[in-house]
Amino acid sequence: MKNDTLPPRAEARPVQIETHGIARHDAYSWLRADNWQEVMKDPSVLDADIRAYLEAENTYHEAQMAPTKALQETLFSEMRGRIKEDDSAVPSPDGPYAYSLKYKTGGQQPIFYRIPRDGGEETILLDGDKEADGKAYFKIGGASHSTDHKLLAWAYDDKGSEYYSLQFRDLGTGKDTGYVIEDTSGGGVFCADSKYVFYIRLDANHRPSKLFRHEIGTDPATDVLVYEEKDPGFFMGVGKTQSGDTIVIDIHDHETSEIWMIPADQPTTAPALIAARETGIEYSVDDHGDTLYILTNADGAEDFKIVTAPKATPGRENWRDLVPHKAGCLILSHCVYKTFMTRLEREDGLPRIVIRNLADGNEHQVAFDEEAYSLGLSGGYEFDTETIRFSYSSMTTPSQTFDYNVATGERTLRKEQEVPSGHKADDYVTRRLIAQAADGETVPVSILYRKDTPLDGSAPLLLYGYGSYGISIPSSFNTNSLSLVDRGFVYAIAHIRGGKEKGFGWYKAGRRENKKNTFTDFIAAADHLVKEGFTSHKNIIAQGGSAGGMLMGAISNMAPEKFGGIIAEVPFVDVLATMLDDTLPLTPPEWPEWGNPITDKAAYEYIASYSPYDNVEAKDYPPIFALAGLTDPRVTYWEPAKWVAKLRATKTGDSLVMLKTNMDAGHGGASGRFDRLKEVALVQAFALQVTGKV
């Protein structure tokens, strides 16, 4: 795959940093822009030396991937051909209207519209393609209509930095009011009479620290500060209960919650605390009249339970169990309607929906029979309803959207994902395997392959993993993976510790002082797939992004011989330096996940023992392709840049190492739906080239 173009070499400018009496050396810390806050908002102010290096890496990557240009175009065409270009979501009713979004043929951005509830002519509320015209990057961060249906609060980011500009559109005239609120987290929440909107503003370090109340039609300079979170270790969000009765201020890190509430019909009322934050106690709320329904892990309920409390006296001392804790059955979410409550839970790795009648407590389930599948539950807009909406898919079955009548049990198929270029589910096989981890734990692995794929160890295999923050990777339908599977690949997802696939304990066993379990689980999954004859180590391409990119960096250090290639998208690889830098947007909130190496020497030493950048060694590595976004506020561009620079200067052998930095985007890559497919085609071309399957 390599050609004669010489790879760039970043200049080594060694510095020594001492923490807890321990010295470490960093030759590439200069790639971190001192003015990174300014770069987020204006990439043109990036230091010239740093820009030169990133552009040199981009030039090198383009030269190396030039032979795959035709392949990339083919892959892109295939993936685009599986998308219904003029797709539309099922409209959701709310009062006199039903709201939805759609795409037009050739369009990259969503178009928000509404129709009369019982059918009729649609009205375009927001055309994302028109708003994005002329912009290299554009992403809508939220679009919510007011309770009186007269206004739309919508936000956009045109740099990829996730600083959203919030404005308001008069739905009668279709015109924006002219007031723009900068540096928000995206979107706004209307009070009951639509006179006020609550929104969150980000500070200079990209932290959601202040909640404001804006009176529609007034200068944002006069907006009222409602709540300020002064602990930089906590995130803040604002929402509304399903009933619409309560504005909810949600303050949380990765293990602790605190919620304040404001009556939606009394928006100028001071927020009332539900329960003060206690380290390790999480909770979320919905309401019904004077009662709160609270999902929590309090009282040792590791896999969560649901309790009730009076809205007037909501403290912990008044919480009463409604749905008791059941070990191994993780309650993921709940939603309360006028006559019933729904909850989404997972047991034995599979999700199900449970409906509870509020009057008598009777329950029934909505579940499916496939070996591995994904289930999603949509709250909708309305409180007084007998209908819920859920989505279902598996690795072989395109997504289906159902309306479900909780009183009759009737399921109505409202939409089935179309694959315009064709898809025959019977041509594919999906299975759920169990790998044995190093410590005896069992690790689920979901796989997809064509029926005619030889299972004699010769097939290439893409192994995807994440394993952080308790995020579970669903076994859902993914049209993009079919381009690899149709070329003989096995597509596999390792459900490793650090997610919640096997309950909350699965998460705890893959964070902080247990983080290395995430990496060894992934390696165990690779070993099992080889042992069972699905592939060989030289034919495994590992893929992960963000915290999954940390996984990629760790396994490339720990077991480089077990992988034929590594795809690391916006990889969190400079873990130690980032966790030591409390000025960065996500560092203080991340300490509960990784540990705080500033105050805790043991945490420092443990992170140092696996941090991918710090553990690069002079040994052979498989081919590595790293991708970054210049304005990424989550995984800053310099992490993959430093990692690639150190790999190239340190490793032995002649394996290919590449870095591609998107100079017009942030954490999520390209914003348009087709531009994003070009990036997917690029990494798939890398996988196909490395395994020789082109």
Side-chain angles (χ1 to χ4, degrees):
M1 182 175 176
K2 290 180 65 179
N3 60 30
D4 294 333
T5 304
L6 292 176
R9 292 274 181 166
E11 181 184 350
R13 303 178 189 176
V15 296
Q16 178 173 305
I17 307 106
E18 187 170 305
T19 311
H20 301 298
I22 304 169
R24 62 186 175 91
H25 299 85
D26 191 341
Y28 304 104
S29 62
W30 65 271
L31 289 170
R32 176 195 185 279
D34 291 335
N35 64 336
W36 61 264
Q37 293 102 326
E38 298 170 53
V39 173
M40 293 284 177
K41 296 184 176 183
D42 183 4
S44 69
V45 301
L46 181 67
D47 176 86
D49 285 355
I50 298 173
R51 180 177 293 278
Y53 171 66
L54 297 179
E55 290 180 343
E57 287 285 3
N58 280 350
T59 299
Y60 177 69
H61 140 262
E62 289 167 3
Q64 296 303 316
M65 294 301 291
T68 71
K69 283 293 186 185
L71 173 62
Q72 290 178 50
E73 287 297 326
T74 299
L75 291 167
F76 171 74
S77 295
E78 288 177 6
M79 288 184 276
R80 184 165 180 168
R82 297 189 193 101
I83 293 177
K84 186 175 187 294
E85 293 208 13
D86 58 349
D87 202 10
S88 179
V90 181
S92 293
D94 185 20
Y97 299 103
Y99 291 82
S100 190
L101 61 83
K102 64 179 182 177
Y103 291 87
K104 65 185 179 186
T105 300
Q108 298 246 38
Q109 301 288 340
I111 298 169
F112 296 82
Y113 71 95
R114 70 183 178 193
I115 57 175
R117 184 188 185 102
D118 297 322
E121 187 175 347
E122 70 177 37
T123 301
I124 302 299
L125 309 180
L126 179 67
D127 186 331
D129 288 313
K130 287 184 178 179
E131 302 297 338
D133 188 41
K135 296 180 171 66
Y137 180 94
F138 184 84
K139 182 178 180 180
I140 295 174
S144 55
H145 61 274
S146 60
T147 46
D148 63 7
H149 305 279
K150 294 180 179 179
L151 293 167
L152 186 77
W154 71 282
Y156 67 91
D157 168 22
D158 58 7
K159 297 179 179 63
S161 62
E162 299 179 41
Y163 280 104
Y164 290 93
S165 300
L166 174 64
Q167 49 191 349
F168 305 96
R169 178 159 297 184
D170 184 322
L171 296 182
T173 65
K175 305 289 186 182
D176 291 321
T177 61
Y179 289 119
V180 180
I181 305 173
E182 302 290 356
D183 301 339
T184 78
S185 61
V189 177
F190 286 93
C191 68
D193 65 3
S194 306
K195 183 178 179 180
Y196 296 98
V197 168
F198 293 86
Y199 68 91
I200 291 170
R201 185 170 283 156
L202 306 178
D203 65 16
N205 286 348
H206 208 279
R207 292 173 185 148
S209 59
K210 293 180 179 180
L211 175 74
F212 286 89
R213 184 180 67 243
H214 171 72
E215 184 175 358
I216 297 297
T218 65
D219 187 339
T222 65
D223 288 356
V224 175
L225 177 63
V226 175
Y227 182 92
E228 180 174 5
E229 177 52 52
K230 296 187 177 180
D231 186 334
F234 281 79
F235 301 97
M236 181 165 54
V238 61
K240 192 187 290 188
T241 56
Q242 183 68 26
S243 68
D245 290 346
T246 306
I247 306 293
V248 175
I249 307 168
D250 176 22
I251 299 152
H252 63 278
D253 62 12
H254 293 297
E255 63 176 4
T256 302
S257 304
E258 181 176 277
I259 296 177
W260 298 70
M261 55 184 177
I262 300 171
D265 61 355
Q266 301 174 51
T268 59
T269 304
L273 176 65
I274 293 178
R277 65 191 74 174
E278 297 179 49
T279 300
I281 302 299
E282 297 182 69
Y283 68 97
S284 59
V285 302
D286 210 341
D287 66 359
H288 188 292
D290 295 330
T291 302
L292 295 177
Y293 288 74
I294 302 170
L295 175 63
T296 182
N297 65 345
D299 309 313
E302 181 176 77
D303 288 316
F304 288 75
K305 63 179 180 177
I306 298 175
V307 303
T308 60
K311 192 178 285 186
T313 55
R316 279 279 302 277
E317 67 277 7
N318 294 320
W319 291 10
R320 300 291 180 264
D321 286 5
L322 179 70
V323 179
H325 174 247
K326 180 184 176 183
C329 180
L330 177 65
I331 304 178
L332 299 164
S333 64
H334 74 308
C335 190
V336 181
Y337 298 84
K338 186 174 181 179
T339 61
F340 64 95
M341 178 178 72
T342 63
R343 67 180 188 267
L344 181 64
E345 59 188 32
R346 184 186 296 115
E347 189 170 20
D348 297 326
L350 292 177
R352 62 175 173 247
I353 298 167
V354 181
I355 314 295
R356 181 186 182 94
N357 185 296
L358 293 179
D360 58 21
N362 288 332
E363 295 186 347
H364 67 277
Q365 298 179 4
V366 181
F368 292 83
D369 296 328
E370 281 198 79
E371 196 171 328
Y373 62 86
S374 173
L375 200 58
L377 189 57
S378 170
Y381 293 114
E382 297 191 312
F383 177 67
D384 186 1
T385 181
E386 289 189 336
T387 302
I388 63 170
R389 182 166 293 165
F390 66 85
S391 61
Y392 166 83
S393 76
S394 75
M395 295 177 82
T396 60
T397 308
S399 178
Q400 298 172 323
T401 301
F402 292 90
D403 279 353
Y404 179 78
N405 187 297
V406 300
T408 66
E410 181 184 2
R411 295 182 190 180
T412 303
L413 179 62
R414 296 296 307 275
K415 180 183 177 181
E416 189 163 11
Q417 180 181 357
E418 293 183 43
V419 182
S421 60
H423 174 71
K424 295 180 180 178
D426 290 345
D427 290 343
Y428 302 89
V429 177
T430 182
R431 291 181 56 191
R432 194 170 183 86
L433 309 177
I434 301 296
Q436 189 84 8
D439 61 358
E441 259 293 3
T442 54
V443 181
V445 183
S446 300
I447 63 170
L448 173 72
Y449 56 91
R450 286 188 65 93
K451 281 184 176 177
D452 56 3
T453 299
L455 303 180
D456 57 4
S458 64
L461 182 145
L462 189 138
L463 181 59
Y464 181 85
Y466 189 75
S468 290
Y469 306 118
I471 294 173
S472 301
I473 305 301
S475 302
S476 55
F477 189 66
N478 178 356
T479 58
N480 295 340
S481 67
L482 296 177
S483 286
L484 290 178
V485 172
D486 286 345
R487 287 172 170 79
F489 264 73
V490 177
Y491 180 76
I493 301 169
H495 302 286
I496 50 186
R497 276 175 280 191
K500 289 180 183 171
E501 283 89 342
K502 293 176 68 174
F504 195 84
W506 199 242
Y507 170 37
K508 291 203 301 185
R511 69 176 182 182
R512 286 204 292 269
E513 66 276 5
N514 300 314
K515 189 63 211 169
K516 290 182 184 178
N517 286 335
T518 301
F519 316 140
T520 54
D521 281 0
F522 191 85
I523 294 168
D527 288 340
H528 184 75
L529 290 161
V530 171
K531 177 184 174 184
E532 294 297 309
F534 289 99
T535 190
S536 62
H537 282 298
K538 69 177 182 180
N539 274 330
I540 298 179
I541 304 298
Q543 182 181 22
S546 195
M550 175 212 297
L551 169 67
M552 296 299 100
I555 58 109
S556 69
N557 288 331
M558 295 168 67
E561 73 284 356
K562 295 189 175 184
F563 301 93
I566 305 284
I567 299 167
E569 299 178 277
V570 289
F572 179 31
V573 283
D574 195 12
V575 185
L576 186 58
T578 293
M579 288 298 101
L580 286 167
D581 187 348
D582 61 6
T583 69
L584 293 176
L586 294 185
T587 293
E590 297 287 281
W591 288 329
E593 182 78 11
W594 317 108
N596 183 347
I598 298 175
T599 60
D600 184 347
K601 183 178 180 182
Y604 177 98
E605 292 176 334
Y606 188 69
I607 295 171
S609 73
Y610 70 76
S611 176
Y613 176 71
D614 296 281
N615 287 279
V616 170
E617 297 177 324
K619 59 185 178 186
D620 280 344
Y621 283 81
I624 293 175
F625 188 10
L627 297 95
L630 180 60
T631 55
D632 188 345
R634 300 177 188 233
V635 177
T636 51
Y637 74 84
W638 60 81
E639 293 207 26
K642 289 172 61 178
W643 182 49
V644 165
K646 188 173 182 180
L647 277 167
R648 197 171 283 133
T650 308
K651 74 180 186 67
T652 60
D654 62 354
S655 62
L656 179 67
V657 176
M658 296 188 300
L659 170 67
K660 176 185 184 294
T661 303
N662 191 326
M663 306 300 278
D664 296 312
H667 195 67
S671 56
R673 57 175 178 159
F674 301 132
D675 288 343
R676 174 59 187 151
L677 289 182
K678 291 179 181 178
E679 295 184 353
V680 177
L682 174 64
V683 299
Q684 288 194 1
F686 171 80
L688 288 161
Q689 276 286 69
V690 166
T691 54
K693 303 301 177 183
V694 294

